[in-house]
Amino acid sequence: MSQQDFPGLSRRRVLQAGVAAGVSAALGSPLLQAAAANAQILRKIPASGEEVPVIGTGTNAFGVNDPAELDAIRGVLREIPGLGSKVVDTASGYGTSEDVIGKLLVELGNRDKIFLATKTPMRGDLSAPVAMIDQSFKRLQVTKIDLLQIHNFFGPKELLPHLAEYKAA
């Protein structure tokens, strides 16, 4: 399927619909709230025992500057914990998405309710892999990233030892 299969449908419209659905569920009837909460399938992280939903919020389109779009993203990040969700998945390769998420989580003060996942760079200067990952911490304005994923296997020999150091820290 392609964009041509869905004329008039854009990422912005999908995001707006998602926010509207989330707010409706949060503010709507108890039946809608129960349905939203029960729709989550949880899995335990073996090392910590923490349960997280298997479905999260992807943020490839969160790198925006428009005030209306920022308001929509703010609404998503504010409402998802109350809907039984908490996984927010981003990547350094998603433009300024990490910056936007970091700023809004600080503004909202709900970082402790979000399971934050990001990814290693897709490619780049592997002479400084720690610096590349450290940039994600700075952009997200956090000292802990809950899940650091490998975006692809570009330079695994250089990157994997550093990922082990982050895990230990």
Side-chain angles (χ1 to χ4, degrees):
M1 290 189 198
S2 70
Q3 178 72 27
Q4 295 150 347
D5 295 313
F6 302 96
L9 190 63
S10 67
R11 288 183 186 166
R12 183 177 182 161
R13 290 186 121 184
V14 170
L15 182 61
Q16 289 171 334
V19 170
V23 171
S24 294
L27 301 176
S29 73
L31 182 59
L32 280 176
Q33 291 175 5
N38 289 326
Q40 294 296 325
I41 300 168
L42 302 175
R43 294 288 186 261
K44 281 188 180 182
I45 298 172
S48 68
E50 180 178 3
E51 288 188 326
V52 295
V54 297
I55 299 173
T57 301
T59 64
N60 191 353
F62 275 28
V64 299
N65 293 316
D66 178 81
E69 290 177 318
L70 283 170
D71 282 344
I73 293 167
R74 183 179 293 107
V76 169
L77 293 174
R78 180 182 51 246
E79 299 300 328
I80 60 173
L83 297 171
S85 185
K86 66 179 180 177
V87 177
V88 174
D89 178 69
T90 192
S92 61
Y94 294 171
T96 59
S97 289
E98 286 183 333
D99 297 296
V100 169
I101 291 164
K103 175 184 176 245
L104 293 176
L105 288 179
V106 167
E107 177 187 311
L108 293 167
N110 67 347
R111 167 60 181 102
D112 62 326
K113 296 177 181 169
I114 300 294
F115 184 89
L116 191 56
T118 194
K119 300 172 194 76
T120 61
M122 290 176 41
R123 55 188 136 327
D125 180 7
L126 287 176
S127 64
V130 172
M132 292 185 295
I133 296 169
D134 283 346
Q135 282 301 310
S136 289
F137 280 89
K138 288 177 185 169
R139 287 189 292 264
L140 290 164
Q141 300 182 43
V142 297
T143 57
K144 175 186 173 190
I145 293 173
D146 299 298
L147 175 62
L148 183 56
Q149 303 163 93
I150 297 174
H151 213 148
N152 66 27
F153 282 99
F154 179 79
K157 289 179 185 175
E158 295 85 353
L159 200 51
L160 288 175
H162 298 293
L163 294 178
E165 290 173 16
Y166 277 103
K167 181 178 178 182

